[in-house]
Amino acid sequence: MKFFDPHVHMTSRTTDDYQAMADAGIVALIEPAFWLGQPRTGVASFKDYFSSLVGWERFRSSQFGIKHYCTIGLNSREANNEALAEQVMEVLPLFIYKEGVVGVGEIGFDDQTPAEEKYYRLQLELAKEANLPVQIHTPHRDKKQGTERSMAIALEHGLDPGMVIIDHNNEETVKSVLDQGFWAAFTIYPFTKMGNERMVEVVRQYGPERIMVNSAADWGISDPLAVPKTAALMKMKGISDEAIRLVTYQNALDAFGKSGQIFEEEFGGEIDQSQKFNGNTILRGGQQPRIDKDSLFIN
Amino acid sequence: MTVPLDSIRLLRQRLEEILTEQLPENGRQWLFSRVDRSSTSALLMAFVAAPRFTGKQPVSLSAERRQELAELRPGFRLLAWPLDRVTRLYLLLQLPLENREAFIQAVETLFDTAEMNELVALYASLPVLPYPEAWLFRATEAVRSNMGLVFEALALGNPYPSEQFPEPAWNQLVMKTIFNDKSVGSIVGLVERSNPSLARILVDFAHERWAAGRYVPARAWQMVVPFVNESMLPDLQRLFTSDRAVDRQAAALLCNETNFEPARALGRQFPIEHAEQLRWENVDTQLA
């Protein structure tokens, strides 16, 4: 089977992870712009980060035949530094129109402060203007309330719920999200978010329509193989192949495909790290493409 | 060389004609009616957004057009550029060409925020931008780039480096092309810019590669022709006894073209079939 992980922070992962993801059948992914674990102190750091999402990270991914897309936005935590947030808002338009940018994200609420709300609203307008999907982060604390508020504000700004992906759902939030016409994404993440056994039950109960699974793997203890592992578990528990395909591949493609930036025929290009056209540059001079981990010899 | 502003304006005119003919309808509408050419920030945004409207069909150029372009800027070719890149060059040439500071600042902003295809467009456009000396640092950054397409946009088929790079930067570009297994023969000015220190670096590099049981691209030896000396005779001998035909051919060409008599004598000991038909272009293994 082939998989699409629509939320994974590859910047924080190693090249080995790319290799394992490709081996597990992941053919495309979306890397949302997020918080790097400590606050940035200047707009130049944001610029470099956004540039790496559309540049180096995309290139690194391509070396494993994985099509890399991203969403660009000012995350909720850093929206609280208003002086910096203003400067970030100025450079955002230069990034959201770039090739392969499939949405504005991840944006929304963390502490649910007035500053977070202000920049959430401004970015919704930006997405509307650019006709791009929105990827919404929902808070860990006061989740239910935060999710409702995020959806209400999006509707207030006139966004089509079919253009909005509400992320990090759980059993408590999913019904309302689906009932209002939004896409419901679920993050399979050890300890803090969903476990994949619970996920199987959600799909059993609500069916596969407008539901998608992601790993949100980042610098925390997380699992970049969460999507294929969840698919395997669904299969073992008797979920139909078609339902698995929808929640681990097709729905993400349909939702973010509304950006006009996703071309399925470009997925799963032949992996050839020695190809001359794209350069062999995750490989240092003389290094052989791929590593046979069973071999004693290191060439 | 610095391209006169008049030629750049004429080039802009030609690009406008090409784009008018070849852009899809919505791309043409977007470019000629919705893009505000009086505003630098609107031009920068359009530069970024271009592929969303123009598509990536390769530009098609009649022989006449190619001739015109070659006269406007010798060594510069639009051949096989996708339309988004042509559009991006056209937009760059809409920036305030006469205002050095403003022009440089706008292009620098694009470099600062560019993704890969934008970098390719910027580097491929360098030969026709005004103020060529201003892009020197950026150009050396492309040589440092680990993204193959970015490196190629600057290093291959582009007259900018041979015209602007000081010798150490030039040598680095040539060696990195070899190191990355890209076509040495596609470097503009390869022979004209060869120098003794590059020849020495190449020979040292060949020794390392041979020690590792690997090869040097045969075409690279062309740069050594003017600098063949006594110390290189064992290397030539090694090339003549290589199991690769292109190495033996390179050795024959070297011995034939050098003025260093002992090397010419060595060449006569290793006759090559069809020696009279040998050309450096044909020993460029990367083009095969």
Side-chain angles (χ1 to χ4, degrees), chain A residues 54 58 94 96-99 101 276-277 281 284, chain B residues 48 52 56 113 115 117-118 146 152 181-182:
Chain A
V54 293
R58 181 182 287 176
L94 271 182
I96 65 167
Y97 287 99
K98 285 195 195 291
E99 282 183 86
V101 174
K276 307 249 161 54
F277 185 63
T281 48
R284 299 304 177 186
Chain B
V48 171
R52 293 189 180 231
K56 292 174 181 260
T113 55
E115 52 80 71
N117 290 326
E118 293 168 31
N146 272 342
E152 287 176 17
D181 280 334
K182 296 187 189 297

mmCIF file with all atom_site columns, all heavy atoms in Angstrom, chain A residues 54 58 94 96-99 101 276-277 281 284, chain B residues 48 52 56 113 115 117-118 146 152 181-182:
data_model
loop_
_atom_site.group_PDB
_atom_site.id
_atom_site.type_symbol
_atom_site.label_atom_id
_atom_site.label_alt_id
_atom_site.label_comp_id
_atom_site.label_asym_id
_atom_site.label_entity_id
_atom_site.label_seq_id
_atom_site.pdbx_PDB_ins_code
_atom_site.Cartn_x
_atom_site.Cartn_y
_atom_site.Cartn_z
_atom_site.occupancy
_atom_site.B_iso_or_equiv
_atom_site.pdbx_formal_charge
_atom_site.auth_seq_id
_atom_site.auth_comp_id
_atom_site.auth_asym_id
_atom_site.auth_atom_id
_atom_site.pdbx_PDB_model_num
ATOM 1   N N   . VAL A 1 54  ? 10.668 24.835 1.885   1.00 0.00 ? 54  VAL A N   1
ATOM 2   C CA  . VAL A 1 54  ? 10.429 24.742 0.443   1.00 0.00 ? 54  VAL A CA  1
ATOM 3   C C   . VAL A 1 54  ? 11.720 24.440 -0.317  1.00 0.00 ? 54  VAL A C   1
ATOM 4   O O   . VAL A 1 54  ? 11.710 24.306 -1.534  1.00 0.00 ? 54  VAL A O   1
ATOM 5   C CB  . VAL A 1 54  ? 9.795  26.041 -0.136  1.00 0.00 ? 54  VAL A CB  1
ATOM 6   C CG1 . VAL A 1 54  ? 8.389  26.224 0.398   1.00 0.00 ? 54  VAL A CG1 1
ATOM 7   C CG2 . VAL A 1 54  ? 10.654 27.258 0.163   1.00 0.00 ? 54  VAL A CG2 1
ATOM 8   N N   . ARG A 1 58  ? 12.640 19.736 1.132   1.00 0.00 ? 58  ARG A N   1
ATOM 9   C CA  . ARG A 1 58  ? 11.969 19.171 -0.041  1.00 0.00 ? 58  ARG A CA  1
ATOM 10  C C   . ARG A 1 58  ? 12.959 18.350 -0.869  1.00 0.00 ? 58  ARG A C   1
ATOM 11  O O   . ARG A 1 58  ? 12.653 17.277 -1.359  1.00 0.00 ? 58  ARG A O   1
ATOM 12  C CB  . ARG A 1 58  ? 11.420 20.344 -0.872  1.00 0.00 ? 58  ARG A CB  1
ATOM 13  C CG  . ARG A 1 58  ? 10.678 19.953 -2.098  1.00 0.00 ? 58  ARG A CG  1
ATOM 14  C CD  . ARG A 1 58  ? 10.221 21.187 -2.849  1.00 0.00 ? 58  ARG A CD  1
ATOM 15  N NE  . ARG A 1 58  ? 9.130  21.863 -2.199  1.00 0.00 ? 58  ARG A NE  1
ATOM 16  C CZ  . ARG A 1 58  ? 8.610  23.012 -2.629  1.00 0.00 ? 58  ARG A CZ  1
ATOM 17  N NH1 . ARG A 1 58  ? 9.115  23.607 -3.689  1.00 0.00 ? 58  ARG A NH1 1
ATOM 18  N NH2 . ARG A 1 58  ? 7.606  23.566 -1.999  1.00 0.00 ? 58  ARG A NH2 1
ATOM 19  N N   . LEU A 1 94  ? 5.259  36.214 0.687   1.00 0.00 ? 94  LEU A N   1
ATOM 20  C CA  . LEU A 1 94  ? 6.322  35.784 -0.231  1.00 0.00 ? 94  LEU A CA  1
ATOM 21  C C   . LEU A 1 94  ? 6.499  34.270 -0.210  1.00 0.00 ? 94  LEU A C   1
ATOM 22  O O   . LEU A 1 94  ? 7.121  33.699 -1.085  1.00 0.00 ? 94  LEU A O   1
ATOM 23  C CB  . LEU A 1 94  ? 7.646  36.440 0.141   1.00 0.00 ? 94  LEU A CB  1
ATOM 24  C CG  . LEU A 1 94  ? 7.947  37.792 -0.488  1.00 0.00 ? 94  LEU A CG  1
ATOM 25  C CD1 . LEU A 1 94  ? 9.315  38.279 -0.053  1.00 0.00 ? 94  LEU A CD1 1
ATOM 26  C CD2 . LEU A 1 94  ? 7.882  37.742 -2.013  1.00 0.00 ? 94  LEU A CD2 1
ATOM 27  N N   . ILE A 1 96  ? 3.714  31.900 0.893   1.00 0.00 ? 96  ILE A N   1
ATOM 28  C CA  . ILE A 1 96  ? 2.543  31.032 0.689   1.00 0.00 ? 96  ILE A CA  1
ATOM 29  C C   . ILE A 1 96  ? 2.237  30.795 -0.786  1.00 0.00 ? 96  ILE A C   1
ATOM 30  O O   . ILE A 1 96  ? 1.545  29.848 -1.120  1.00 0.00 ? 96  ILE A O   1
ATOM 31  C CB  . ILE A 1 96  ? 1.284  31.546 1.424   1.00 0.00 ? 96  ILE A CB  1
ATOM 32  C CG1 . ILE A 1 96  ? 0.835  32.873 0.845   1.00 0.00 ? 96  ILE A CG1 1
ATOM 33  C CG2 . ILE A 1 96  ? 1.490  31.619 2.915   1.00 0.00 ? 96  ILE A CG2 1
ATOM 34  C CD1 . ILE A 1 96  ? -0.556 33.250 1.329   1.00 0.00 ? 96  ILE A CD1 1
ATOM 35  N N   . TYR A 1 97  ? 2.765  31.646 -1.666  1.00 0.00 ? 97  TYR A N   1
ATOM 36  C CA  . TYR A 1 97  ? 2.506  31.435 -3.095  1.00 0.00 ? 97  TYR A CA  1
ATOM 37  C C   . TYR A 1 97  ? 3.557  30.556 -3.758  1.00 0.00 ? 97  TYR A C   1
ATOM 38  O O   . TYR A 1 97  ? 3.533  30.361 -4.969  1.00 0.00 ? 97  TYR A O   1
ATOM 39  C CB  . TYR A 1 97  ? 2.450  32.778 -3.830  1.00 0.00 ? 97  TYR A CB  1
ATOM 40  C CG  . TYR A 1 97  ? 1.203  33.572 -3.542  1.00 0.00 ? 97  TYR A CG  1
ATOM 41  C CD1 . TYR A 1 97  ? 1.218  34.603 -2.619  1.00 0.00 ? 97  TYR A CD1 1
ATOM 42  C CD2 . TYR A 1 97  ? 0.008  33.270 -4.203  1.00 0.00 ? 97  TYR A CD2 1
ATOM 43  C CE1 . TYR A 1 97  ? 0.069  35.335 -2.350  1.00 0.00 ? 97  TYR A CE1 1
ATOM 44  C CE2 . TYR A 1 97  ? -1.142 33.995 -3.943  1.00 0.00 ? 97  TYR A CE2 1
ATOM 45  C CZ  . TYR A 1 97  ? -1.112 35.027 -3.012  1.00 0.00 ? 97  TYR A CZ  1
ATOM 46  O OH  . TYR A 1 97  ? -2.250 35.735 -2.754  1.00 0.00 ? 97  TYR A OH  1
ATOM 47  N N   . LYS A 1 98  ? 4.486  30.045 -2.992  1.00 0.00 ? 98  LYS A N   1
ATOM 48  C CA  . LYS A 1 98  ? 5.535  29.249 -3.631  1.00 0.00 ? 98  LYS A CA  1
ATOM 49  C C   . LYS A 1 98  ? 4.993  27.899 -4.087  1.00 0.00 ? 98  LYS A C   1
ATOM 50  O O   . LYS A 1 98  ? 4.000  27.400 -3.579  1.00 0.00 ? 98  LYS A O   1
ATOM 51  C CB  . LYS A 1 98  ? 6.703  29.048 -2.667  1.00 0.00 ? 98  LYS A CB  1
ATOM 52  C CG  . LYS A 1 98  ? 7.541  30.311 -2.521  1.00 0.00 ? 98  LYS A CG  1
ATOM 53  C CD  . LYS A 1 98  ? 8.873  29.994 -1.880  1.00 0.00 ? 98  LYS A CD  1
ATOM 54  C CE  . LYS A 1 98  ? 9.587  31.243 -1.394  1.00 0.00 ? 98  LYS A CE  1
ATOM 55  N NZ  . LYS A 1 98  ? 10.045 32.105 -2.484  1.00 0.00 ? 98  LYS A NZ  1
ATOM 56  N N   . GLU A 1 99  ? 5.700  27.327 -5.054  1.00 0.00 ? 99  GLU A N   1
ATOM 57  C CA  . GLU A 1 99  ? 5.320  26.005 -5.560  1.00 0.00 ? 99  GLU A CA  1
ATOM 58  C C   . GLU A 1 99  ? 5.309  24.992 -4.424  1.00 0.00 ? 99  GLU A C   1
ATOM 59  O O   . GLU A 1 99  ? 6.190  25.010 -3.560  1.00 0.00 ? 99  GLU A O   1
ATOM 60  C CB  . GLU A 1 99  ? 6.344  25.536 -6.589  1.00 0.00 ? 99  GLU A CB  1
ATOM 61  C CG  . GLU A 1 99  ? 6.185  26.155 -7.933  1.00 0.00 ? 99  GLU A CG  1
ATOM 62  C CD  . GLU A 1 99  ? 7.212  25.571 -8.888  1.00 0.00 ? 99  GLU A CD  1
ATOM 63  O OE1 . GLU A 1 99  ? 6.938  24.527 -9.481  1.00 0.00 ? 99  GLU A OE1 1
ATOM 64  O OE2 . GLU A 1 99  ? 8.275  26.180 -9.025  1.00 0.00 ? 99  GLU A OE2 1
ATOM 65  N N   . VAL A 1 101 ? 3.461  24.739 -1.917  1.00 0.00 ? 101 VAL A N   1
ATOM 66  C CA  . VAL A 1 101 ? 2.858  25.176 -0.649  1.00 0.00 ? 101 VAL A CA  1
ATOM 67  C C   . VAL A 1 101 ? 1.369  24.895 -0.771  1.00 0.00 ? 101 VAL A C   1
ATOM 68  O O   . VAL A 1 101 ? 0.681  25.472 -1.612  1.00 0.00 ? 101 VAL A O   1
ATOM 69  C CB  . VAL A 1 101 ? 3.133  26.663 -0.357  1.00 0.00 ? 101 VAL A CB  1
ATOM 70  C CG1 . VAL A 1 101 ? 2.373  27.111 0.892   1.00 0.00 ? 101 VAL A CG1 1
ATOM 71  C CG2 . VAL A 1 101 ? 4.629  26.894 -0.181  1.00 0.00 ? 101 VAL A CG2 1
ATOM 72  N N   . LYS A 1 276 ? 22.072 12.043 -12.003 1.00 0.00 ? 276 LYS A N   1
ATOM 73  C CA  . LYS A 1 276 ? 22.877 13.239 -12.231 1.00 0.00 ? 276 LYS A CA  1
ATOM 74  C C   . LYS A 1 276 ? 22.001 14.470 -12.288 1.00 0.00 ? 276 LYS A C   1
ATOM 75  O O   . LYS A 1 276 ? 22.373 15.538 -11.898 1.00 0.00 ? 276 LYS A O   1
ATOM 76  C CB  . LYS A 1 276 ? 23.631 13.095 -13.552 1.00 0.00 ? 276 LYS A CB  1
ATOM 77  C CG  . LYS A 1 276 ? 24.421 11.798 -13.633 1.00 0.00 ? 276 LYS A CG  1
ATOM 78  C CD  . LYS A 1 276 ? 25.905 12.047 -13.603 1.00 0.00 ? 276 LYS A CD  1
ATOM 79  C CE  . LYS A 1 276 ? 26.698 10.825 -13.239 1.00 0.00 ? 276 LYS A CE  1
ATOM 80  N NZ  . LYS A 1 276 ? 26.441 9.660  -14.062 1.00 0.00 ? 276 LYS A NZ  1
ATOM 81  N N   . PHE A 1 277 ? 20.768 14.282 -12.756 1.00 0.00 ? 277 PHE A N   1
ATOM 82  C CA  . PHE A 1 277 ? 19.928 15.457 -12.980 1.00 0.00 ? 277 PHE A CA  1
ATOM 83  C C   . PHE A 1 277 ? 19.643 16.205 -11.695 1.00 0.00 ? 277 PHE A C   1
ATOM 84  O O   . PHE A 1 277 ? 19.789 17.401 -11.597 1.00 0.00 ? 277 PHE A O   1
ATOM 85  C CB  . PHE A 1 277 ? 18.625 15.017 -13.655 1.00 0.00 ? 277 PHE A CB  1
ATOM 86  C CG  . PHE A 1 277 ? 17.740 16.156 -14.024 1.00 0.00 ? 277 PHE A CG  1
ATOM 87  C CD1 . PHE A 1 277 ? 18.170 17.099 -14.953 1.00 0.00 ? 277 PHE A CD1 1
ATOM 88  C CD2 . PHE A 1 277 ? 16.506 16.309 -13.444 1.00 0.00 ? 277 PHE A CD2 1
ATOM 89  C CE1 . PHE A 1 277 ? 17.367 18.150 -15.301 1.00 0.00 ? 277 PHE A CE1 1
ATOM 90  C CE2 . PHE A 1 277 ? 15.693 17.364 -13.785 1.00 0.00 ? 277 PHE A CE2 1
ATOM 91  C CZ  . PHE A 1 277 ? 16.118 18.286 -14.713 1.00 0.00 ? 277 PHE A CZ  1
ATOM 92  N N   . THR A 1 281 ? 23.295 14.826 -3.793  1.00 0.00 ? 281 THR A N   1
ATOM 93  C CA  . THR A 1 281 ? 23.958 15.635 -2.794  1.00 0.00 ? 281 THR A CA  1
ATOM 94  C C   . THR A 1 281 ? 23.629 15.342 -1.350  1.00 0.00 ? 281 THR A C   1
ATOM 95  O O   . THR A 1 281 ? 24.201 15.965 -0.504  1.00 0.00 ? 281 THR A O   1
ATOM 96  C CB  . THR A 1 281 ? 23.691 17.088 -3.103  1.00 0.00 ? 281 THR A CB  1
ATOM 97  O OG1 . THR A 1 281 ? 22.309 17.183 -3.331  1.00 0.00 ? 281 THR A OG1 1
ATOM 98  C CG2 . THR A 1 281 ? 24.444 17.533 -4.299  1.00 0.00 ? 281 THR A CG2 1
ATOM 99  N N   . ARG A 1 284 ? 27.658 12.225 0.329   1.00 0.00 ? 284 ARG A N   1
ATOM 100 C CA  . ARG A 1 284 ? 28.942 12.900 0.261   1.00 0.00 ? 284 ARG A CA  1
ATOM 101 C C   . ARG A 1 284 ? 29.758 12.242 -0.835  1.00 0.00 ? 284 ARG A C   1
ATOM 102 O O   . ARG A 1 284 ? 29.452 11.139 -1.277  1.00 0.00 ? 284 ARG A O   1
ATOM 103 C CB  . ARG A 1 284 ? 29.662 12.811 1.609   1.00 0.00 ? 284 ARG A CB  1
ATOM 104 C CG  . ARG A 1 284 ? 28.878 13.474 2.714   1.00 0.00 ? 284 ARG A CG  1
ATOM 105 C CD  . ARG A 1 284 ? 28.577 14.911 2.339   1.00 0.00 ? 284 ARG A CD  1
ATOM 106 N NE  . ARG A 1 284 ? 27.753 15.544 3.355   1.00 0.00 ? 284 ARG A NE  1
ATOM 107 C CZ  . ARG A 1 284 ? 27.267 16.758 3.203   1.00 0.00 ? 284 ARG A CZ  1
ATOM 108 N NH1 . ARG A 1 284 ? 27.490 17.432 2.090   1.00 0.00 ? 284 ARG A NH1 1
ATOM 109 N NH2 . ARG A 1 284 ? 26.539 17.289 4.146   1.00 0.00 ? 284 ARG A NH2 1
ATOM 110 N N   . VAL B 2 48  ? 7.481  35.051 -7.350  1.00 0.00 ? 48  VAL B N   1
ATOM 111 C CA  . VAL B 2 48  ? 7.247  33.846 -6.549  1.00 0.00 ? 48  VAL B CA  1
ATOM 112 C C   . VAL B 2 48  ? 6.080  33.037 -7.115  1.00 0.00 ? 48  VAL B C   1
ATOM 113 O O   . VAL B 2 48  ? 6.153  31.821 -7.269  1.00 0.00 ? 48  VAL B O   1
ATOM 114 C CB  . VAL B 2 48  ? 6.967  34.235 -5.076  1.00 0.00 ? 48  VAL B CB  1
ATOM 115 C CG1 . VAL B 2 48  ? 6.511  33.014 -4.291  1.00 0.00 ? 48  VAL B CG1 1
ATOM 116 C CG2 . VAL B 2 48  ? 8.201  34.848 -4.442  1.00 0.00 ? 48  VAL B CG2 1
ATOM 117 N N   . ARG B 2 52  ? 2.281  29.189 -10.719 1.00 0.00 ? 52  ARG B N   1
ATOM 118 C CA  . ARG B 2 52  ? 0.852  28.925 -10.518 1.00 0.00 ? 52  ARG B CA  1
ATOM 119 C C   . ARG B 2 52  ? 0.028  29.382 -11.725 1.00 0.00 ? 52  ARG B C   1
ATOM 120 O O   . ARG B 2 52  ? -1.113 28.973 -11.885 1.00 0.00 ? 52  ARG B O   1
ATOM 121 C CB  . ARG B 2 52  ? 0.339  29.627 -9.255  1.00 0.00 ? 52  ARG B CB  1
ATOM 122 C CG  . ARG B 2 52  ? 0.964  29.033 -8.016  1.00 0.00 ? 52  ARG B CG  1
ATOM 123 C CD  . ARG B 2 52  ? 0.360  29.512 -6.716  1.00 0.00 ? 52  ARG B CD  1
ATOM 124 N NE  . ARG B 2 52  ? 1.056  28.855 -5.619  1.00 0.00 ? 52  ARG B NE  1
ATOM 125 C CZ  . ARG B 2 52  ? 0.465  28.209 -4.609  1.00 0.00 ? 52  ARG B CZ  1
ATOM 126 N NH1 . ARG B 2 52  ? -0.837 28.202 -4.516  1.00 0.00 ? 52  ARG B NH1 1
ATOM 127 N NH2 . ARG B 2 52  ? 1.189  27.610 -3.692  1.00 0.00 ? 52  ARG B NH2 1
ATOM 128 N N   . LYS B 2 56  ? 4.718  25.092 -16.990 1.00 0.00 ? 56  LYS B N   1
ATOM 129 C CA  . LYS B 2 56  ? 6.150  24.831 -17.157 1.00 0.00 ? 56  LYS B CA  1
ATOM 130 C C   . LYS B 2 56  ? 6.487  24.263 -18.528 1.00 0.00 ? 56  LYS B C   1
ATOM 131 O O   . LYS B 2 56  ? 7.478  23.558 -18.680 1.00 0.00 ? 56  LYS B O   1
ATOM 132 C CB  . LYS B 2 56  ? 6.617  23.854 -16.079 1.00 0.00 ? 56  LYS B CB  1
ATOM 133 C CG  . LYS B 2 56  ? 6.592  24.451 -14.690 1.00 0.00 ? 56  LYS B CG  1
ATOM 134 C CD  . LYS B 2 56  ? 6.907  23.410 -13.658 1.00 0.00 ? 56  LYS B CD  1
ATOM 135 C CE  . LYS B 2 56  ? 6.854  24.021 -12.285 1.00 0.00 ? 56  LYS B CE  1
ATOM 136 N NZ  . LYS B 2 56  ? 8.170  24.340 -11.764 1.00 0.00 ? 56  LYS B NZ  1
ATOM 137 N N   . THR B 2 113 ? 14.902 34.538 0.041   1.00 0.00 ? 113 THR B N   1
ATOM 138 C CA  . THR B 2 113 ? 13.700 33.759 0.359   1.00 0.00 ? 113 THR B CA  1
ATOM 139 C C   . THR B 2 113 ? 13.435 32.676 -0.683  1.00 0.00 ? 113 THR B C   1
ATOM 140 O O   . THR B 2 113 ? 12.392 32.040 -0.670  1.00 0.00 ? 113 THR B O   1
ATOM 141 C CB  . THR B 2 113 ? 12.468 34.687 0.420   1.00 0.00 ? 113 THR B CB  1
ATOM 142 O OG1 . THR B 2 113 ? 12.371 35.411 -0.810  1.00 0.00 ? 113 THR B OG1 1
ATOM 143 C CG2 . THR B 2 113 ? 12.580 35.668 1.563   1.00 0.00 ? 113 THR B CG2 1
ATOM 144 N N   . GLU B 2 115 ? 13.171 29.383 -3.064  1.00 0.00 ? 115 GLU B N   1
ATOM 145 C CA  . GLU B 2 115 ? 13.230 27.927 -3.055  1.00 0.00 ? 115 GLU B CA  1
ATOM 146 C C   . GLU B 2 115 ? 14.015 27.490 -4.298  1.00 0.00 ? 115 GLU B C   1
ATOM 147 O O   . GLU B 2 115 ? 14.537 28.324 -5.031  1.00 0.00 ? 115 GLU B O   1
ATOM 148 C CB  . GLU B 2 115 ? 11.839 27.282 -2.940  1.00 0.00 ? 115 GLU B CB  1
ATOM 149 C CG  . GLU B 2 115 ? 10.802 27.734 -3.926  1.00 0.00 ? 115 GLU B CG  1
ATOM 150 C CD  . GLU B 2 115 ? 10.947 27.085 -5.272  1.00 0.00 ? 115 GLU B CD  1
ATOM 151 O OE1 . GLU B 2 115 ? 10.680 25.885 -5.435  1.00 0.00 ? 115 GLU B OE1 1
ATOM 152 O OE2 . GLU B 2 115 ? 11.340 27.831 -6.199  1.00 0.00 ? 115 GLU B OE2 1
ATOM 153 N N   . ASN B 2 117 ? 13.525 26.137 -7.398  1.00 0.00 ? 117 ASN B N   1
ATOM 154 C CA  . ASN B 2 117 ? 13.278 26.579 -8.774  1.00 0.00 ? 117 ASN B CA  1
ATOM 155 C C   . ASN B 2 117 ? 13.497 28.081 -8.937  1.00 0.00 ? 117 ASN B C   1
ATOM 156 O O   . ASN B 2 117 ? 13.885 28.555 -10.006 1.00 0.00 ? 117 ASN B O   1
ATOM 157 C CB  . ASN B 2 117 ? 11.863 26.214 -9.214  1.00 0.00 ? 117 ASN B CB  1
ATOM 158 C CG  . ASN B 2 117 ? 11.716 24.715 -9.399  1.00 0.00 ? 117 ASN B CG  1
ATOM 159 O OD1 . ASN B 2 117 ? 12.667 24.052 -9.814  1.00 0.00 ? 117 ASN B OD1 1
ATOM 160 N ND2 . ASN B 2 117 ? 10.559 24.195 -9.068  1.00 0.00 ? 117 ASN B ND2 1
ATOM 161 N N   . GLU B 2 118 ? 13.233 28.828 -7.865  1.00 0.00 ? 118 GLU B N   1
ATOM 162 C CA  . GLU B 2 118 ? 13.506 30.267 -7.923  1.00 0.00 ? 118 GLU B CA  1
ATOM 163 C C   . GLU B 2 118 ? 15.008 30.519 -7.990  1.00 0.00 ? 118 GLU B C   1
ATOM 164 O O   . GLU B 2 118 ? 15.474 31.392 -8.724  1.00 0.00 ? 118 GLU B O   1
ATOM 165 C CB  . GLU B 2 118 ? 12.915 30.965 -6.698  1.00 0.00 ? 118 GLU B CB  1
ATOM 166 C CG  . GLU B 2 118 ? 11.398 30.946 -6.674  1.00 0.00 ? 118 GLU B CG  1
ATOM 167 C CD  . GLU B 2 118 ? 10.837 31.368 -5.319  1.00 0.00 ? 118 GLU B CD  1
ATOM 168 O OE1 . GLU B 2 118 ? 11.475 32.183 -4.631  1.00 0.00 ? 118 GLU B OE1 1
ATOM 169 O OE2 . GLU B 2 118 ? 9.787  30.854 -4.940  1.00 0.00 ? 118 GLU B OE2 1
ATOM 170 N N   . ASN B 2 146 ? 24.236 22.285 -2.073  1.00 0.00 ? 146 ASN B N   1
ATOM 171 C CA  . ASN B 2 146 ? 24.119 20.836 -2.176  1.00 0.00 ? 146 ASN B CA  1
ATOM 172 C C   . ASN B 2 146 ? 22.945 20.431 -3.045  1.00 0.00 ? 146 ASN B C   1
ATOM 173 O O   . ASN B 2 146 ? 22.643 19.258 -3.163  1.00 0.00 ? 146 ASN B O   1
ATOM 174 C CB  . ASN B 2 146 ? 23.957 20.229 -0.783  1.00 0.00 ? 146 ASN B CB  1
ATOM 175 C CG  . ASN B 2 146 ? 25.307 19.933 -0.165  1.00 0.00 ? 146 ASN B CG  1
ATOM 176 O OD1 . ASN B 2 146 ? 26.308 19.864 -0.859  1.00 0.00 ? 146 ASN B OD1 1
ATOM 177 N ND2 . ASN B 2 146 ? 25.326 19.772 1.133   1.00 0.00 ? 146 ASN B ND2 1
ATOM 178 N N   . GLU B 2 152 ? 23.920 23.387 -11.018 1.00 0.00 ? 152 GLU B N   1
ATOM 179 C CA  . GLU B 2 152 ? 23.989 23.320 -12.484 1.00 0.00 ? 152 GLU B CA  1
ATOM 180 C C   . GLU B 2 152 ? 23.574 24.631 -13.149 1.00 0.00 ? 152 GLU B C   1
ATOM 181 O O   . GLU B 2 152 ? 24.132 25.013 -14.170 1.00 0.00 ? 152 GLU B O   1
ATOM 182 C CB  . GLU B 2 152 ? 23.090 22.198 -13.005 1.00 0.00 ? 152 GLU B CB  1
ATOM 183 C CG  . GLU B 2 152 ? 23.659 20.835 -12.736 1.00 0.00 ? 152 GLU B CG  1
ATOM 184 C CD  . GLU B 2 152 ? 22.716 19.714 -13.161 1.00 0.00 ? 152 GLU B CD  1
ATOM 185 O OE1 . GLU B 2 152 ? 21.778 19.990 -13.938 1.00 0.00 ? 152 GLU B OE1 1
ATOM 186 O OE2 . GLU B 2 152 ? 22.923 18.587 -12.696 1.00 0.00 ? 152 GLU B OE2 1
ATOM 187 N N   . ASP B 2 181 ? 30.216 14.604 -10.287 1.00 0.00 ? 181 ASP B N   1
ATOM 188 C CA  . ASP B 2 181 ? 29.922 13.796 -11.470 1.00 0.00 ? 181 ASP B CA  1
ATOM 189 C C   . ASP B 2 181 ? 29.022 14.504 -12.463 1.00 0.00 ? 181 ASP B C   1
ATOM 190 O O   . ASP B 2 181 ? 28.118 13.900 -13.038 1.00 0.00 ? 181 ASP B O   1
ATOM 191 C CB  . ASP B 2 181 ? 29.241 12.468 -11.061 1.00 0.00 ? 181 ASP B CB  1
ATOM 192 C CG  . ASP B 2 181 ? 30.266 11.460 -10.575 1.00 0.00 ? 181 ASP B CG  1
ATOM 193 O OD1 . ASP B 2 181 ? 31.431 11.572 -11.010 1.00 0.00 ? 181 ASP B OD1 1
ATOM 194 O OD2 . ASP B 2 181 ? 29.901 10.601 -9.767  1.00 0.00 ? 181 ASP B OD2 1
ATOM 195 N N   . LYS B 2 182 ? 29.234 15.777 -12.627 1.00 0.00 ? 182 LYS B N   1
ATOM 196 C CA  . LYS B 2 182 ? 28.461 16.496 -13.646 1.00 0.00 ? 182 LYS B CA  1
ATOM 197 C C   . LYS B 2 182 ? 29.359 16.753 -14.855 1.00 0.00 ? 182 LYS B C   1
ATOM 198 O O   . LYS B 2 182 ? 30.567 16.584 -14.782 1.00 0.00 ? 182 LYS B O   1
ATOM 199 C CB  . LYS B 2 182 ? 27.918 17.792 -13.063 1.00 0.00 ? 182 LYS B CB  1
ATOM 200 C CG  . LYS B 2 182 ? 26.928 17.502 -11.937 1.00 0.00 ? 182 LYS B CG  1
ATOM 201 C CD  . LYS B 2 182 ? 26.248 18.738 -11.446 1.00 0.00 ? 182 LYS B CD  1
ATOM 202 C CE  . LYS B 2 182 ? 25.434 18.433 -10.188 1.00 0.00 ? 182 LYS B CE  1
ATOM 203 N NZ  . LYS B 2 182 ? 24.352 17.483 -10.434 1.00 0.00 ? 182 LYS B NZ  1
#
